[in-house]
Amino acid sequence: MAKRPPSPKRSSSRGPYRSQQPKAAFVPTGVLPGKEEVLAFIASQDGKVSKRDIARAFGLGTGQKIELKAMLRDLKDEGAVEGRRRKVHVAGTLPSVVLADVTGRDSDGELLATPTEWDSEEHGDAPVILLHIPEKLRGPAPGLSDRILVRVEKDDPAEGVAYTGRVIKVLEKARKQQLGVFRALPNGGGGRIIPIDKKNLGRELQVPPGAENDAQDGDLVSVEMMHQRVFGLPTARVKDRLGSLASEKAISLVAIHAHGIPNAFPARVIAEAEAAQPATPKDREDWRKLPLLTIDPPDAKDHDDAVHAVADDDPDNDGGFIVTVAIADVAAYVRPGSALDREALLRGNSVYFPDRVVPMLPERISNDLCSLRPQEDRAALAVRMVIGKDGRKRSHTFHRILMRSAAKLAYAQAQAAIDGQSDDTTAPLLDGVLRPLYAAYACVKQARDARQPLELDLPERKILLKEDGTVDRVIVPPRLDAHRLIEEFMILANVAAAETLEQKKVPLIFRVHDGPTLAKLSALREFLVTLDITLPKTDQVRPSHFNRILATAENTDAAPLVNQVILRSQSQAEYSPENYGHFGLNLRRYAHFTSPIRRYADLVVHRGLVRTLTGGPDALPENVTVDALAEIAADISATERRAMAAERETVDRLIAHHLADQLGATFSARVTGATRAGLFVSLDETGADGFVPASTLGADYYRFDEARQALVGDRTGEMHRIGDRVEVKLVEAAPVAGALRFELLSEGTYVGKARGKSVSTRSRGPAKSGAFKPGSGKFRSASGLGRGKPPGEDNAPGTSDSGPGRTKLSRTARSGKSRKR
């Protein structure tokens, strides 16, 4: 094959923002097109097309848009177009930005890739993408078997390549090397590798003498595979020693390396942070006399938001309030294109583990210059909101200010003062500051209740650690009005930011959350029928529909079950430059503005607001396009999912270590998931997740009933379904992988037939696989211990949007702050 020239480069500004030439305009007709015309238009566009794009192109009115929506639904049902959420593209083609896997090289050595998600049965072989790697690619260059984010353009299939693509980012490096724990052989020389991944449990590796690379027993190591022998365990060589699991903070170290989370700042980033100087009153409004408060967890060090409220003295707003939210002005210190900016985008967000924080920004910025400490001058971006008597926001204005926090309070401390237990700090603030804040919250809550966001009741557990980094206990802290106050004020500020930038026509990154898909709604309806609960048959479902179901189930045995199944029916929130609203919060527009210290999305929004206020080098560059922000949104959505997975796995490992010496103990639990392979259970006391293989349920054969979300015995009709309260016995534990296997002790319910007397489902006998083989470190498991997580666990709107969005164990003993909002 002749060598192809690389794809033309787009012009670039400083940093990650890239400009792009606008597409040619389409002449509107004002006439509703036929299906063929719509398909032709979609095919003519690069990538995905929304209903709004089509309506704008053909000049359609409101009534015609309804017909267009029905037409697009028909085209989807016919298989002519496909796509997620509210954008579609022609079936059998690729959108403009796609996940792909690097699969090989052409004859000239150029990398080739294929899309990660492709329906081969429907559309034939996956198209080949010839990759172009930009000179200034952020992060590592791609290699074979890597997973990448790529912007694609159609090419000539006659030359053997359907698309060319510019690599945006490497999302996951190929697992040429594996991580595991080195276990030295008792007689010296060589050892074995215990894998840390649940999927690889029981697949140990052998390290021959001389290949240990000075690894000591208990070290976390990366290994590379060696030439395999026909018989015996696969052989590997220790490549790097990553730390000892005997030391403090070892558990989170596993997740950091397993997910490739950057945890050390380059020297140039540290130097740039150390050179930063405190802000001055120049070009800022002086608000230092306004008694703003920070209210955070007691162990927080980065105080990035402060609040204040006062009754409005405007006669036209009798009973209303003026609410002020001030957020640390991170944009003043992290400018577009700087080393700090590039590193922040690479990280995407801070990652919170029970024993440490991996911050997005160095401590000089996050815990010093941008931390709103009491009685210290700090730069901030503030929004002043006028709230009406009905709790609705009437107007708002943004200001770049210099502020001085009046006090630093903990949630429980602020709540205690309101409840009549003031201390030396809160007593002077009670009448003039705290009571107006709570009065304003009571006012705002009226509008929130009328809006009816999704009201899931899923308590958030917290792990308390001992000094050595091991688990002390797990608690469910109380949910206070102080938490709700801060949460609601932050939501108001986020909405104000989105409204301002949209009105000023400044591009931004929205926080979006789509409603449940039709397939998930259908499955949910089928399941709720088994509980004699109905969900309206409409594709325009609203949070209020779910809230009515939750209210019906409240204070019943089915309440936890109903909360779980509704949670799993939800889509996952993400970042996008295209706004399609936030379903969970029931808001038409929403953006993250209130945590720029720990989220890059908020920093982008801050820069947009700075552009509308003062401009300057710390504002969003003028040549930033929606396409450039789409790349950033895809990046930070991926890093958010990476952080969630790493945090969840760390909690699993901590709990598995905590329970490893309790083999044979019994626990109260609840079934949280059912699959063909078995049941997932969550322990009441710790929230630990574990697995009960279907093969251990009894002498019957258990089939998965999708409608009931249950396993049902063929002969007896015994049923185990999600939501069931059960007693389980801990049979196996793999602390390094964070996996637990249980045996079910409770009897199920019986459906479809009477209890069978010829089959004793309770006579389970001994466990079908052992725990650890003493002395060898080998895990002898054929039980499916590493089956992964319960289905649908990642479908939640997320705790950063609407409070406790999913059951999640989070840290308390860490040097940072909890992730509210």
Side-chain angles (χ1 to χ4, degrees):
M1 180 188 296
K3 187 168 183 177
R4 301 176 50 80
S7 301
K9 298 179 182 177
R10 295 179 175 87
S11 61
S12 62
S13 62
R14 293 171 56 194
Y17 307 104
R18 294 178 174 82
S19 61
Q20 181 175 318
Q21 296 299 322
K23 298 186 179 74
F26 190 89
V27 179
T29 63
V31 178
L32 181 69
K35 289 184 178 180
E36 293 78 9
E37 292 176 275
V38 170
L39 282 174
F41 174 76
I42 295 172
S44 69
Q45 304 301 299
D46 290 334
K48 295 183 178 181
V49 177
S50 68
K51 183 188 73 175
R52 180 184 297 178
D53 296 332
I54 301 172
R56 186 184 299 118
F58 288 95
L60 303 183
T62 303
Q64 293 168 310
K65 289 179 182 178
I66 297 174
E67 297 180 64
L68 175 62
K69 182 177 180 180
M71 182 187 299
L72 289 175
R73 188 183 300 115
D74 290 342
L75 288 172
K76 274 191 176 183
D77 293 340
E78 294 166 7
V81 298
E82 57 190 17
R84 294 181 179 178
R85 299 183 174 91
R86 306 190 180 195
K87 289 195 169 187
V88 296
H89 59 95
V90 175
T93 65
L94 295 181
S96 58
V97 177
V98 67
L99 281 177
D101 295 318
V102 182
T103 54
R105 296 181 183 272
D106 65 9
S107 58
D108 296 314
E110 301 289 344
L111 288 173
L112 302 174
T114 55
T116 302
E117 297 181 0
W118 182 263
D119 190 340
S120 299
E121 293 183 4
E122 183 72 21
H123 306 303
D125 293 339
V128 176
I129 306 169
L130 177 66
L131 297 180
H132 164 62
I133 305 172
E135 293 180 2
K136 296 183 178 180
L137 177 69
R138 302 189 305 275
L144 292 177
S145 301
D146 288 354
R147 178 156 293 180
I148 59 174
L149 191 68
V150 60
R151 181 176 294 281
V152 298
E153 297 176 358
K154 289 184 179 179
D155 211 303
D156 185 4
E159 296 193 26
V161 178
Y163 295 86
T164 56
R166 180 172 63 87
V167 178
I168 298 172
K169 185 178 182 181
V170 177
L171 298 180
E172 184 178 351
K173 294 296 290 181
R175 297 187 178 275
K176 301 183 183 71
Q177 62 181 30
Q178 299 183 28
L179 297 182
V181 178
F182 178 75
R183 294 298 182 190
L185 295 178
N187 55 355
R192 293 191 176 186
I193 302 296
I194 309 299
I196 65 169
D197 193 334
K198 291 181 182 180
K199 297 177 182 178
N200 292 325
L201 280 179
R203 302 175 185 173
E204 294 183 0
L205 305 176
Q206 180 176 254
V207 178
E212 308 95 328
N213 194 17
D214 297 326
Q216 303 297 312
D217 187 73
D219 279 355
L220 175 66
V221 297
S222 68
V223 300
E224 55 186 1
M225 303 305 296
M226 300 173 63
H227 180 71
Q228 302 302 302
R229 296 179 297 178
V230 177
F231 302 103
L233 293 175
T235 306
R237 176 188 298 108
V238 175
K239 185 177 180 181
D240 294 303
R241 297 174 59 193
L242 305 176
S244 173
L245 291 189
S247 66
E248 191 175 347
K249 298 184 179 180
I251 301 300
S252 55
L253 187 68
V254 174
I256 287 170
H257 286 287
H259 290 275
I261 296 172
N263 67 326
F265 287 103
R268 65 183 182 280
V269 174
I270 296 295
E272 192 171 285
E274 293 299 327
Q277 297 298 315
T280 65
K282 183 180 179 182
D283 298 325
R284 294 181 181 276
E285 299 177 45
D286 192 342
W287 286 22
R288 285 177 287 185
K289 292 184 179 180
L290 187 70
L292 289 151
L293 293 178
T294 62
I295 306 178
D296 294 296
D299 57 348
K301 291 187 177 180
D302 52 333
H303 308 279
D304 57 359
D305 57 82
V307 293
H308 177 267
V310 65
D312 193 354
D313 57 6
D314 186 345
D316 293 334
N317 190 29
D318 185 35
F321 289 85
I322 305 295
V323 173
T324 301
V325 175
I327 307 297
D329 192 353
V330 178
Y333 301 100
V334 184
R335 295 185 172 182
S338 65
L340 278 167
D341 181 40
R342 292 191 297 271
E343 184 68 17
L345 178 57
L346 178 66
R347 295 176 179 232
N349 47 258
S350 298
V351 186
Y352 294 91
F353 298 106
D355 59 354
R356 73 168 82 187
V357 178
V358 179
M360 185 179 79
L361 297 169
E363 283 195 12
R364 168 65 173 161
I365 302 296
S366 60
N367 291 352
D368 185 2
L369 294 177
C370 289
S371 186
L372 307 181
R373 297 172 178 170
Q375 309 307 324
E376 294 187 22
D377 292 355
R378 287 292 182 265
L381 200 57
V383 56
R384 182 181 182 272
M385 297 174 285
V386 179
I387 308 298
K389 183 178 180 179
D390 60 357
R392 298 181 183 273
K393 178 171 65 65
R394 290 187 167 190
S395 63
H396 67 268
T397 54
F398 279 91
H399 308 262
R400 215 167 187 192
I401 68 170
L402 191 70
M403 61 161 284
R404 183 179 293 166
S405 171
K408 174 184 71 174
L409 303 183
Y411 288 115
Q413 185 182 16
Q415 190 65 49
I418 290 296
D419 294 340
Q421 299 177 356
S422 300
D423 57 24
D424 292 343
T425 302
T426 56
L429 302 168
L430 184 58
D431 291 330
V433 181
L434 283 173
R435 285 195 173 125
L437 272 173
Y438 274 76
Y441 165 64
C443 179
V444 166
K445 189 175 182 297
Q446 299 176 78
R448 182 189 189 280
D449 293 341
R451 191 178 82 237
Q452 288 202 52
L454 186 59
E455 299 278 9
L456 289 169
D457 181 17
L458 297 167
E460 183 174 344
R461 293 180 174 88
K462 288 190 176 182
I463 294 181
L464 301 182
L465 301 179
K466 301 176 183 177
E467 290 296 326
D468 61 1
T470 59
V471 176
D472 181 14
R473 65 189 187 278
V474 180
I475 63 171
V476 179
R479 178 96 169 131
L480 307 172
D481 277 345
H483 294 97
R484 299 184 181 95
L485 180 154
I486 293 297
E487 179 182 292
E488 201 57 37
F489 287 174
M490 296 306 115
I491 289 174
L492 282 172
N494 287 336
V495 171
E499 289 177 349
T500 294
L501 294 181
E502 202 170 45
Q503 180 184 8
K504 300 287 186 180
K505 300 188 184 305
V506 176
L508 73 149
I509 293 177
F510 292 92
R511 180 64 170 180
V512 290
H513 177 223
D514 207 358
T517 63
L518 293 178
K520 286 186 176 181
L521 283 176
S522 178
L524 178 62
R525 284 192 190 96
E526 290 182 15
F527 176 77
L528 291 175
V529 165
T530 68
L531 299 177
D532 296 324
I533 298 175
T534 58
L535 178 67
K537 289 187 176 180
T538 172
D539 58 354
Q540 298 296 322
V541 67
R542 299 181 181 277
S544 57
H545 292 124
F546 295 121
N547 288 340
R548 282 195 287 271
I549 293 171
L550 293 167
T552 300
E554 191 175 7
N555 299 322
T556 70
D557 291 340
L561 167 62
V562 173
N563 274 270
Q564 283 289 340
V565 294
I566 289 180
L567 171 69
R568 292 179 184 176
S569 71
Q570 304 304 307
S571 302
Q572 187 172 0
E574 63 181 2
Y575 294 106
S576 170
E578 300 289 341
N579 180 32
Y580 52 84
H582 198 295
F583 178 83
L585 293 177
N586 198 16
L587 293 169
R588 295 183 63 183
R589 55 189 57 82
Y590 190 67
H592 274 167
F593 156 74
T594 53
S595 292
I597 288 177
R598 62 180 179 87
R599 294 186 305 222
Y600 193 84
D602 303 55
L603 178 56
V604 174
V605 170
H606 272 237
R607 288 170 177 165
L609 292 168
V610 170
R611 185 203 280 191
T612 70
L613 293 172
T614 61
D618 46 359
L620 191 72
E622 292 289 341
N623 61 349
V624 171
T625 65
V626 171
D627 285 339
L629 291 183
E631 294 182 14
I632 295 174
D635 281 356
I636 59 181
S637 293
T639 59
E640 180 185 44
R641 291 190 292 271
R642 178 183 68 182
M644 290 172 61
E647 292 168 0
R648 181 178 59 241
E649 290 173 11
T650 298
V651 167
D652 288 345
R653 292 186 176 103
L654 279 167
I655 296 294
H657 273 273
H658 181 58
L659 298 178
D661 60 353
Q662 299 184 47
L663 295 180
T666 60
F667 303 90
S668 297
R670 186 179 295 275
V671 177
T672 57
T675 67
R676 292 175 178 83
L679 302 172
F680 291 93
V681 296
S682 177
L683 304 189
D684 291 343
E685 183 178 352
T686 62
D689 294 318
F691 189 67
V692 180
S695 59
T696 66
L697 289 178
D700 204 346
Y701 182 81
Y702 289 82
R703 296 184 185 275
F704 177 58
D705 186 326
E706 186 173 3
R708 291 190 176 98
Q709 289 292 295
L711 289 176
V712 182
D714 269 359
R715 290 176 286 175
T716 62
E718 184 188 27
M719 180 177 69
H720 302 284
R721 70 185 305 178
I722 64 173
D724 285 353
R725 299 303 306 268
V726 294
E727 290 291 318
V728 294
K729 180 172 72 174
L730 180 60
V731 178
E732 295 182 81
V736 172
L740 300 169
R741 184 173 79 83
F742 294 96
E743 180 182 328
L744 193 63
L745 303 179
S746 300
E747 193 167 7
T749 56
Y750 289 83
V751 294
K753 57 185 76 176
R755 179 188 296 196
K757 296 183 179 180
S758 59
V759 179
S760 176
T761 59
R762 297 304 102 204
S763 301
R764 303 187 187 281
K768 293 194 176 184
S769 59
F772 292 100
K773 184 178 180 181
S776 69
K778 182 177 180 181
F779 195 82
R780 301 182 294 108
S781 175
S783 61
L785 185 65
R787 294 282 183 179
K789 60 180 182 289
E793 184 171 302
D794 286 335
N795 292 337
T799 56
S800 57
D801 298 322
S802 54
R806 64 184 176 91
T807 301
K808 179 176 185 288
L809 290 130
S810 63
R811 58 96 184 175
T812 55
R814 70 185 186 211
S815 57
K817 68 188 292 184
S818 65
R819 294 173 301 159
K820 59 196 173 204
R821 304 171 294 286

